[in-house]
Amino acid sequence: MANYHLAQLNIAQLKAPLESPQLADFVANLERINALAEAAPGFVWRLQDEEGDATAIRPFGDEVLVNMSVWQDVQSLSDYVYKGAHTEMLKRRREWFDKVEQAHQVLWWVPAGHCPDVREAAERLAHLREQGPSAYAFSFRQACAAPDLAESDGRNGAHGTSFRAGLAP
């Protein structure tokens, strides 16, 4: 069993209120997409409220949605995001969300069994925006190997981790 899992946060700036006709298709697909994530190989945990989603959790402001989850590894998350039914929603994101000029997604390693909170995630995103990718906070394009993997295979980079080419298409 791996000692670390991959945590991810992504945020999205709403173009209209969640209850608006413009976001109706997005809202109608939330339950289905969340169920697909939970059934995906490598899925560990996702942030959700009593309603089963995270749309009411707004730590970045009223117009910003958050999605936060934990996966076994970078490849599992990448496969879910870019190779499955989730891609149909990803292709339509400009219908529902404004383009964010800064980083809108951050990845980081957590000890297996740890479920991060939004404060921890916000700190990682801020670090990525201010400092760029590192072992502390990174992206698909410049993924960082898990600490236990980097230490065991001799690919040690800064802080005992190594970067590898991104997985995102």
Side-chain angles (χ1 to χ4, degrees):
M1 184 175 117
N3 293 326
Y4 291 89
H5 287 153
L6 182 76
Q8 75 81 28
L9 166 78
N10 68 72
I11 62 172
Q13 178 79 36
L14 291 167
K15 283 190 170 188
L18 201 57
E19 305 78 25
S20 70
Q22 184 174 352
L23 272 79
D25 279 350
F26 171 77
V27 172
N29 280 285
L30 273 176
E31 188 175 327
R32 177 179 71 88
I33 295 300
N34 286 336
L36 287 171
E38 291 176 350
F43 173 84
V44 175
W45 170 87
R46 71 179 174 86
L47 178 67
Q48 58 184 300
D49 61 15
E50 300 80 32
E51 303 298 317
D53 64 44
T55 57
I57 302 170
R58 307 277 179 100
F60 295 92
D62 289 342
E63 285 79 39
V64 180
L65 294 185
V66 300
N67 174 286
M68 189 166 62
S69 55
V70 175
W71 295 78
Q72 287 180 350
D73 52 39
V74 175
Q75 190 65 54
S76 297
L77 175 59
S78 179
D79 287 349
Y80 168 72
V81 171
Y82 297 112
K83 294 183 180 175
H86 179 266
T87 58
E88 15 174 301
M89 303 304 286
L90 200 56
K91 289 176 185 174
R92 297 182 62 195
R93 69 186 176 270
R94 296 290 174 248
E95 294 177 36
W96 308 309
F97 307 112
D98 289 328
K99 184 173 180 158
V100 178
E101 296 302 321
Q102 296 179 305
H104 66 279
Q105 181 181 56
V106 63
L107 310 174
W108 72 99
W109 295 105
V110 296
H114 173 68
C115 296
D117 60 26
V118 292
R119 181 193 50 75
E120 177 183 342
E123 182 180 293
R124 300 290 178 144
L125 182 61
H127 187 275
L128 178 63
R129 286 176 168 180
E130 294 165 11
Q131 305 293 321
S134 68
Y136 187 76
F138 52 93
S139 67
F140 277 125
R141 294 200 189 283
Q142 195 144 19
C144 181
D148 56 342
L149 295 175
E151 292 164 7
S152 68
D153 72 6
R155 295 181 297 156
N156 293 331
H159 308 289
T161 59
S162 63
F163 285 98
R164 61 177 190 243
L167 296 171

PDB file of all heavy atoms in Angstrom, residues 106-137:
ATOM      1  N   VAL A 106      -4.552  22.731  -8.237  1.00  0.00           N
ATOM      2  CA  VAL A 106      -3.299  22.399  -7.567  1.00  0.00           C
ATOM      3  C   VAL A 106      -3.360  20.939  -7.127  1.00  0.00           C
ATOM      4  O   VAL A 106      -4.417  20.425  -6.756  1.00  0.00           O
ATOM      5  CB  VAL A 106      -3.033  23.336  -6.360  1.00  0.00           C
ATOM      6  CG1 VAL A 106      -4.090  23.198  -5.281  1.00  0.00           C
ATOM      7  CG2 VAL A 106      -1.639  23.117  -5.794  1.00  0.00           C
ATOM      8  N   LEU A 107      -2.220  20.287  -7.207  1.00  0.00           N
ATOM      9  CA  LEU A 107      -2.056  18.908  -6.761  1.00  0.00           C
ATOM     10  C   LEU A 107      -0.990  18.885  -5.671  1.00  0.00           C
ATOM     11  O   LEU A 107      -0.042  19.677  -5.714  1.00  0.00           O
ATOM     12  CB  LEU A 107      -1.612  18.013  -7.912  1.00  0.00           C
ATOM     13  CG  LEU A 107      -2.394  18.080  -9.216  1.00  0.00           C
ATOM     14  CD1 LEU A 107      -1.726  17.224 -10.285  1.00  0.00           C
ATOM     15  CD2 LEU A 107      -3.824  17.652  -9.014  1.00  0.00           C
ATOM     16  N   TRP A 108      -1.123  17.967  -4.721  1.00  0.00           N
ATOM     17  CA  TRP A 108      -0.093  17.781  -3.697  1.00  0.00           C
ATOM     18  C   TRP A 108      -0.289  16.415  -3.052  1.00  0.00           C
ATOM     19  O   TRP A 108      -1.352  15.824  -3.125  1.00  0.00           O
ATOM     20  CB  TRP A 108      -0.108  18.901  -2.658  1.00  0.00           C
ATOM     21  CG  TRP A 108      -1.255  18.907  -1.689  1.00  0.00           C
ATOM     22  CD1 TRP A 108      -1.252  18.439  -0.403  1.00  0.00           C
ATOM     23  CD2 TRP A 108      -2.594  19.403  -1.921  1.00  0.00           C
ATOM     24  NE1 TRP A 108      -2.492  18.626   0.173  1.00  0.00           N
ATOM     25  CE2 TRP A 108      -3.322  19.206  -0.733  1.00  0.00           C
ATOM     26  CE3 TRP A 108      -3.232  19.980  -3.007  1.00  0.00           C
ATOM     27  CZ2 TRP A 108      -4.668  19.579  -0.610  1.00  0.00           C
ATOM     28  CZ3 TRP A 108      -4.558  20.343  -2.896  1.00  0.00           C
ATOM     29  CH2 TRP A 108      -5.266  20.148  -1.707  1.00  0.00           C
ATOM     30  N   TRP A 109       0.780  15.911  -2.468  1.00  0.00           N
ATOM     31  CA  TRP A 109       0.751  14.605  -1.826  1.00  0.00           C
ATOM     32  C   TRP A 109       0.353  14.737  -0.370  1.00  0.00           C
ATOM     33  O   TRP A 109       0.795  15.652   0.317  1.00  0.00           O
ATOM     34  CB  TRP A 109       2.114  13.925  -1.946  1.00  0.00           C
ATOM     35  CG  TRP A 109       2.447  13.615  -3.365  1.00  0.00           C
ATOM     36  CD1 TRP A 109       3.336  14.283  -4.169  1.00  0.00           C
ATOM     37  CD2 TRP A 109       1.882  12.587  -4.179  1.00  0.00           C
ATOM     38  NE1 TRP A 109       3.346  13.727  -5.431  1.00  0.00           N
ATOM     39  CE2 TRP A 109       2.457  12.683  -5.462  1.00  0.00           C
ATOM     40  CE3 TRP A 109       0.930  11.594  -3.956  1.00  0.00           C
ATOM     41  CZ2 TRP A 109       2.134  11.822  -6.509  1.00  0.00           C
ATOM     42  CZ3 TRP A 109       0.590  10.742  -4.993  1.00  0.00           C
ATOM     43  CH2 TRP A 109       1.195  10.848  -6.248  1.00  0.00           C
ATOM     44  N   VAL A 110      -0.487  13.811   0.089  1.00  0.00           N
ATOM     45  CA  VAL A 110      -0.910  13.750   1.487  1.00  0.00           C
ATOM     46  C   VAL A 110      -0.643  12.337   2.001  1.00  0.00           C
ATOM     47  O   VAL A 110      -0.678  11.372   1.231  1.00  0.00           O
ATOM     48  CB  VAL A 110      -2.411  14.107   1.658  1.00  0.00           C
ATOM     49  CG1 VAL A 110      -2.676  15.543   1.246  1.00  0.00           C
ATOM     50  CG2 VAL A 110      -3.316  13.148   0.909  1.00  0.00           C
ATOM     51  N   PRO A 111      -0.400  12.202   3.292  1.00  0.00           N
ATOM     52  CA  PRO A 111      -0.247  10.854   3.839  1.00  0.00           C
ATOM     53  C   PRO A 111      -1.527  10.050   3.592  1.00  0.00           C
ATOM     54  O   PRO A 111      -2.639  10.593   3.693  1.00  0.00           O
ATOM     55  CB  PRO A 111      -0.039  11.097   5.338  1.00  0.00           C
ATOM     56  CG  PRO A 111       0.460  12.505   5.436  1.00  0.00           C
ATOM     57  CD  PRO A 111      -0.210  13.246   4.311  1.00  0.00           C
ATOM     58  N   ALA A 112      -1.390   8.795   3.250  1.00  0.00           N
ATOM     59  CA  ALA A 112      -2.562   7.937   3.038  1.00  0.00           C
ATOM     60  C   ALA A 112      -3.472   8.016   4.261  1.00  0.00           C
ATOM     61  O   ALA A 112      -3.001   7.987   5.397  1.00  0.00           O
ATOM     62  CB  ALA A 112      -2.120   6.500   2.776  1.00  0.00           C
ATOM     63  N   GLY A 113      -4.760   8.187   4.027  1.00  0.00           N
ATOM     64  CA  GLY A 113      -5.734   8.302   5.110  1.00  0.00           C
ATOM     65  C   GLY A 113      -6.071   9.734   5.483  1.00  0.00           C
ATOM     66  O   GLY A 113      -7.047   9.981   6.189  1.00  0.00           O
ATOM     67  N   HIS A 114      -5.292  10.696   5.012  1.00  0.00           N
ATOM     68  CA  HIS A 114      -5.541  12.109   5.323  1.00  0.00           C
ATOM     69  C   HIS A 114      -6.488  12.704   4.280  1.00  0.00           C
ATOM     70  O   HIS A 114      -6.273  12.559   3.084  1.00  0.00           O
ATOM     71  CB  HIS A 114      -4.232  12.894   5.327  1.00  0.00           C
ATOM     72  CG  HIS A 114      -4.411  14.372   5.484  1.00  0.00           C
ATOM     73  ND1 HIS A 114      -4.865  14.956   6.649  1.00  0.00           N
ATOM     74  CD2 HIS A 114      -4.210  15.398   4.607  1.00  0.00           C
ATOM     75  CE1 HIS A 114      -4.926  16.268   6.493  1.00  0.00           C
ATOM     76  NE2 HIS A 114      -4.539  16.562   5.261  1.00  0.00           N
ATOM     77  N   CYS A 115      -7.536  13.365   4.756  1.00  0.00           N
ATOM     78  CA  CYS A 115      -8.455  14.098   3.880  1.00  0.00           C
ATOM     79  C   CYS A 115      -8.240  15.581   4.145  1.00  0.00           C
ATOM     80  O   CYS A 115      -8.544  16.065   5.239  1.00  0.00           O
ATOM     81  CB  CYS A 115      -9.901  13.699   4.158  1.00  0.00           C
ATOM     82  SG  CYS A 115     -10.238  11.975   3.792  1.00  0.00           S
ATOM     83  N   PRO A 116      -7.713  16.304   3.177  1.00  0.00           N
ATOM     84  CA  PRO A 116      -7.409  17.720   3.401  1.00  0.00           C
ATOM     85  C   PRO A 116      -8.668  18.563   3.578  1.00  0.00           C
ATOM     86  O   PRO A 116      -9.744  18.190   3.114  1.00  0.00           O
ATOM     87  CB  PRO A 116      -6.656  18.120   2.128  1.00  0.00           C
ATOM     88  CG  PRO A 116      -7.095  17.147   1.101  1.00  0.00           C
ATOM     89  CD  PRO A 116      -7.410  15.870   1.818  1.00  0.00           C
ATOM     90  N   ASP A 117      -8.509  19.695   4.247  1.00  0.00           N
ATOM     91  CA  ASP A 117      -9.622  20.632   4.352  1.00  0.00           C
ATOM     92  C   ASP A 117      -9.382  21.786   3.379  1.00  0.00           C
ATOM     93  O   ASP A 117      -8.316  21.892   2.777  1.00  0.00           O
ATOM     94  CB  ASP A 117      -9.822  21.124   5.792  1.00  0.00           C
ATOM     95  CG  ASP A 117      -8.622  21.854   6.369  1.00  0.00           C
ATOM     96  OD1 ASP A 117      -7.821  22.436   5.606  1.00  0.00           O
ATOM     97  OD2 ASP A 117      -8.488  21.864   7.601  1.00  0.00           O
ATOM     98  N   VAL A 118     -10.389  22.643   3.210  1.00  0.00           N
ATOM     99  CA  VAL A 118     -10.287  23.716   2.221  1.00  0.00           C
ATOM    100  C   VAL A 118      -9.213  24.740   2.584  1.00  0.00           C
ATOM    101  O   VAL A 118      -8.616  25.345   1.702  1.00  0.00           O
ATOM    102  CB  VAL A 118     -11.646  24.399   1.947  1.00  0.00           C
ATOM    103  CG1 VAL A 118     -12.586  23.448   1.239  1.00  0.00           C
ATOM    104  CG2 VAL A 118     -12.272  24.921   3.211  1.00  0.00           C
ATOM    105  N   ARG A 119      -8.928  24.914   3.857  1.00  0.00           N
ATOM    106  CA  ARG A 119      -7.853  25.822   4.261  1.00  0.00           C
ATOM    107  C   ARG A 119      -6.512  25.316   3.754  1.00  0.00           C
ATOM    108  O   ARG A 119      -5.714  26.062   3.181  1.00  0.00           O
ATOM    109  CB  ARG A 119      -7.840  25.977   5.788  1.00  0.00           C
ATOM    110  CG  ARG A 119      -6.762  26.929   6.302  1.00  0.00           C
ATOM    111  CD  ARG A 119      -6.557  26.828   7.814  1.00  0.00           C
ATOM    112  NE  ARG A 119      -6.370  25.481   8.301  1.00  0.00           N
ATOM    113  CZ  ARG A 119      -5.230  24.761   8.148  1.00  0.00           C
ATOM    114  NH1 ARG A 119      -4.210  25.257   7.511  1.00  0.00           N
ATOM    115  NH2 ARG A 119      -5.145  23.543   8.649  1.00  0.00           N
ATOM    116  N   GLU A 120      -6.258  24.034   3.948  1.00  0.00           N
ATOM    117  CA  GLU A 120      -5.018  23.424   3.454  1.00  0.00           C
ATOM    118  C   GLU A 120      -4.925  23.546   1.934  1.00  0.00           C
ATOM    119  O   GLU A 120      -3.877  23.901   1.384  1.00  0.00           O
ATOM    120  CB  GLU A 120      -4.988  21.946   3.859  1.00  0.00           C
ATOM    121  CG  GLU A 120      -3.798  21.179   3.356  1.00  0.00           C
ATOM    122  CD  GLU A 120      -3.850  19.707   3.732  1.00  0.00           C
ATOM    123  OE1 GLU A 120      -4.606  19.311   4.642  1.00  0.00           O
ATOM    124  OE2 GLU A 120      -3.109  18.930   3.093  1.00  0.00           O
ATOM    125  N   ALA A 121      -6.029  23.284   1.260  1.00  0.00           N
ATOM    126  CA  ALA A 121      -6.047  23.364  -0.207  1.00  0.00           C
ATOM    127  C   ALA A 121      -5.806  24.789  -0.688  1.00  0.00           C
ATOM    128  O   ALA A 121      -5.061  25.012  -1.645  1.00  0.00           O
ATOM    129  CB  ALA A 121      -7.378  22.833  -0.726  1.00  0.00           C
ATOM    130  N   ALA A 122      -6.433  25.756  -0.031  1.00  0.00           N
ATOM    131  CA  ALA A 122      -6.249  27.164  -0.415  1.00  0.00           C
ATOM    132  C   ALA A 122      -4.790  27.580  -0.240  1.00  0.00           C
ATOM    133  O   ALA A 122      -4.240  28.314  -1.065  1.00  0.00           O
ATOM    134  CB  ALA A 122      -7.163  28.055   0.414  1.00  0.00           C
ATOM    135  N   GLU A 123      -4.153  27.090   0.803  1.00  0.00           N
ATOM    136  CA  GLU A 123      -2.738  27.390   1.039  1.00  0.00           C
ATOM    137  C   GLU A 123      -1.869  26.806  -0.081  1.00  0.00           C
ATOM    138  O   GLU A 123      -0.938  27.457  -0.565  1.00  0.00           O
ATOM    139  CB  GLU A 123      -2.333  26.802   2.396  1.00  0.00           C
ATOM    140  CG  GLU A 123      -0.915  27.084   2.798  1.00  0.00           C
ATOM    141  CD  GLU A 123      -0.605  26.470   4.162  1.00  0.00           C
ATOM    142  OE1 GLU A 123      -1.199  26.939   5.162  1.00  0.00           O
ATOM    143  OE2 GLU A 123       0.211  25.527   4.214  1.00  0.00           O
ATOM    144  N   ARG A 124      -2.186  25.598  -0.516  1.00  0.00           N
ATOM    145  CA  ARG A 124      -1.414  24.964  -1.604  1.00  0.00           C
ATOM    146  C   ARG A 124      -1.604  25.730  -2.916  1.00  0.00           C
ATOM    147  O   ARG A 124      -0.646  25.940  -3.664  1.00  0.00           O
ATOM    148  CB  ARG A 124      -1.832  23.509  -1.785  1.00  0.00           C
ATOM    149  CG  ARG A 124      -1.638  22.628  -0.579  1.00  0.00           C
ATOM    150  CD  ARG A 124      -0.180  22.359  -0.287  1.00  0.00           C
ATOM    151  NE  ARG A 124      -0.067  21.549   0.927  1.00  0.00           N
ATOM    152  CZ  ARG A 124       0.831  20.609   1.121  1.00  0.00           C
ATOM    153  NH1 ARG A 124       1.740  20.341   0.194  1.00  0.00           N
ATOM    154  NH2 ARG A 124       0.862  19.947   2.240  1.00  0.00           N
ATOM    155  N   LEU A 125      -2.838  26.136  -3.199  1.00  0.00           N
ATOM    156  CA  LEU A 125      -3.098  26.889  -4.427  1.00  0.00           C
ATOM    157  C   LEU A 125      -2.367  28.230  -4.398  1.00  0.00           C
ATOM    158  O   LEU A 125      -1.743  28.626  -5.386  1.00  0.00           O
ATOM    159  CB  LEU A 125      -4.599  27.094  -4.630  1.00  0.00           C
ATOM    160  CG  LEU A 125      -5.001  27.836  -5.906  1.00  0.00           C
ATOM    161  CD1 LEU A 125      -4.543  27.083  -7.156  1.00  0.00           C
ATOM    162  CD2 LEU A 125      -6.516  28.050  -5.922  1.00  0.00           C
ATOM    163  N   ALA A 126      -2.420  28.910  -3.282  1.00  0.00           N
ATOM    164  CA  ALA A 126      -1.712  30.196  -3.151  1.00  0.00           C
ATOM    165  C   ALA A 126      -0.206  29.994  -3.349  1.00  0.00           C
ATOM    166  O   ALA A 126       0.443  30.791  -4.032  1.00  0.00           O
ATOM    167  CB  ALA A 126      -1.996  30.822  -1.787  1.00  0.00           C
ATOM    168  N   HIS A 127       0.339  28.937  -2.795  1.00  0.00           N
ATOM    169  CA  HIS A 127       1.765  28.663  -2.946  1.00  0.00           C
ATOM    170  C   HIS A 127       2.115  28.423  -4.413  1.00  0.00           C
ATOM    171  O   HIS A 127       3.114  28.949  -4.916  1.00  0.00           O
ATOM    172  CB  HIS A 127       2.158  27.461  -2.089  1.00  0.00           C
ATOM    173  CG  HIS A 127       3.627  27.211  -2.059  1.00  0.00           C
ATOM    174  ND1 HIS A 127       4.278  26.476  -3.018  1.00  0.00           N
ATOM    175  CD2 HIS A 127       4.577  27.610  -1.181  1.00  0.00           C
ATOM    176  CE1 HIS A 127       5.558  26.432  -2.738  1.00  0.00           C
ATOM    177  NE2 HIS A 127       5.773  27.108  -1.626  1.00  0.00           N
ATOM    178  N   LEU A 128       1.313  27.627  -5.107  1.00  0.00           N
ATOM    179  CA  LEU A 128       1.562  27.368  -6.529  1.00  0.00           C
ATOM    180  C   LEU A 128       1.509  28.666  -7.326  1.00  0.00           C
ATOM    181  O   LEU A 128       2.360  28.921  -8.174  1.00  0.00           O
ATOM    182  CB  LEU A 128       0.542  26.366  -7.069  1.00  0.00           C
ATOM    183  CG  LEU A 128       0.655  26.041  -8.564  1.00  0.00           C
ATOM    184  CD1 LEU A 128       1.992  25.368  -8.876  1.00  0.00           C
ATOM    185  CD2 LEU A 128      -0.508  25.146  -8.989  1.00  0.00           C
ATOM    186  N   ARG A 129       0.529  29.516  -7.034  1.00  0.00           N
ATOM    187  CA  ARG A 129       0.392  30.788  -7.754  1.00  0.00           C
ATOM    188  C   ARG A 129       1.578  31.712  -7.493  1.00  0.00           C
ATOM    189  O   ARG A 129       2.041  32.400  -8.388  1.00  0.00           O
ATOM    190  CB  ARG A 129      -0.905  31.484  -7.342  1.00  0.00           C
ATOM    191  CG  ARG A 129      -2.147  30.841  -7.918  1.00  0.00           C
ATOM    192  CD  ARG A 129      -3.394  31.500  -7.392  1.00  0.00           C
ATOM    193  NE  ARG A 129      -4.579  31.088  -8.133  1.00  0.00           N
ATOM    194  CZ  ARG A 129      -5.799  31.522  -7.875  1.00  0.00           C
ATOM    195  NH1 ARG A 129      -6.001  32.394  -6.877  1.00  0.00           N
ATOM    196  NH2 ARG A 129      -6.815  31.097  -8.599  1.00  0.00           N
ATOM    197  N   GLU A 130       2.055  31.730  -6.256  1.00  0.00           N
ATOM    198  CA  GLU A 130       3.121  32.667  -5.882  1.00  0.00           C
ATOM    199  C   GLU A 130       4.524  32.136  -6.164  1.00  0.00           C
ATOM    200  O   GLU A 130       5.412  32.902  -6.535  1.00  0.00           O
ATOM    201  CB  GLU A 130       2.996  33.010  -4.390  1.00  0.00           C
ATOM    202  CG  GLU A 130       1.729  33.776  -4.070  1.00  0.00           C
ATOM    203  CD  GLU A 130       1.405  33.800  -2.578  1.00  0.00           C
ATOM    204  OE1 GLU A 130       2.270  33.405  -1.758  1.00  0.00           O
ATOM    205  OE2 GLU A 130       0.284  34.212  -2.233  1.00  0.00           O
ATOM    206  N   GLN A 131       4.730  30.833  -5.994  1.00  0.00           N
ATOM    207  CA  GLN A 131       6.080  30.266  -6.069  1.00  0.00           C
ATOM    208  C   GLN A 131       6.313  29.368  -7.290  1.00  0.00           C
ATOM    209  O   GLN A 131       7.442  28.990  -7.555  1.00  0.00           O
ATOM    210  CB  GLN A 131       6.370  29.440  -4.813  1.00  0.00           C
ATOM    211  CG  GLN A 131       6.175  30.179  -3.513  1.00  0.00           C
ATOM    212  CD  GLN A 131       7.169  31.296  -3.324  1.00  0.00           C
ATOM    213  OE1 GLN A 131       8.335  31.165  -3.667  1.00  0.00           O
ATOM    214  NE2 GLN A 131       6.712  32.418  -2.793  1.00  0.00           N
ATOM    215  N   GLY A 132       5.242  28.986  -7.972  1.00  0.00           N
ATOM    216  CA  GLY A 132       5.383  28.033  -9.065  1.00  0.00           C
ATOM    217  C   GLY A 132       5.393  26.608  -8.541  1.00  0.00           C
ATOM    218  O   GLY A 132       5.325  26.371  -7.336  1.00  0.00           O
ATOM    219  N   PRO A 133       5.494  25.639  -9.453  1.00  0.00           N
ATOM    220  CA  PRO A 133       5.427  24.234  -9.042  1.00  0.00           C
ATOM    221  C   PRO A 133       6.627  23.808  -8.198  1.00  0.00           C
ATOM    222  O   PRO A 133       7.757  24.234  -8.441  1.00  0.00           O
ATOM    223  CB  PRO A 133       5.377  23.468 -10.366  1.00  0.00           C
ATOM    224  CG  PRO A 133       5.852  24.414 -11.399  1.00  0.00           C
ATOM    225  CD  PRO A 133       5.611  25.802 -10.891  1.00  0.00           C
ATOM    226  N   SER A 134       6.339  22.981  -7.208  1.00  0.00           N
ATOM    227  CA  SER A 134       7.357  22.442  -6.315  1.00  0.00           C
ATOM    228  C   SER A 134       6.800  21.150  -5.721  1.00  0.00           C
ATOM    229  O   SER A 134       5.673  20.764  -6.018  1.00  0.00           O
ATOM    230  CB  SER A 134       7.670  23.440  -5.194  1.00  0.00           C
ATOM    231  OG  SER A 134       6.549  23.574  -4.336  1.00  0.00           O
ATOM    232  N   ALA A 135       7.564  20.523  -4.867  1.00  0.00           N
ATOM    233  CA  ALA A 135       7.074  19.331  -4.183  1.00  0.00           C
ATOM    234  C   ALA A 135       5.875  19.648  -3.296  1.00  0.00           C
ATOM    235  O   ALA A 135       5.056  18.783  -3.012  1.00  0.00           O
ATOM    236  CB  ALA A 135       8.191  18.714  -3.343  1.00  0.00           C
ATOM    237  N   TYR A 136       5.741  20.903  -2.887  1.00  0.00           N
ATOM    238  CA  TYR A 136       4.667  21.329  -2.000  1.00  0.00           C
ATOM    239  C   TYR A 136       3.345  21.509  -2.735  1.00  0.00           C
ATOM    240  O   TYR A 136       2.274  21.235  -2.189  1.00  0.00           O
ATOM    241  CB  TYR A 136       5.079  22.638  -1.319  1.00  0.00           C
ATOM    242  CG  TYR A 136       4.121  23.102  -0.252  1.00  0.00           C
ATOM    243  CD1 TYR A 136       4.099  22.475   0.993  1.00  0.00           C
ATOM    244  CD2 TYR A 136       3.255  24.169  -0.474  1.00  0.00           C
ATOM    245  CE1 TYR A 136       3.234  22.895   1.980  1.00  0.00           C
ATOM    246  CE2 TYR A 136       2.384  24.596   0.512  1.00  0.00           C
ATOM    247  CZ  TYR A 136       2.370  23.961   1.730  1.00  0.00           C
ATOM    248  OH  TYR A 136       1.513  24.371   2.706  1.00  0.00           O
ATOM    249  N   ALA A 137       3.402  21.973  -3.966  1.00  0.00           N
ATOM    250  CA  ALA A 137       2.200  22.265  -4.756  1.00  0.00           C
ATOM    251  C   ALA A 137       2.592  22.234  -6.228  1.00  0.00           C
ATOM    252  O   ALA A 137       3.505  22.941  -6.635  1.00  0.00           O
ATOM    253  CB  ALA A 137       1.645  23.636  -4.378  1.00  0.00           C
TER     254      ALA A 137
END
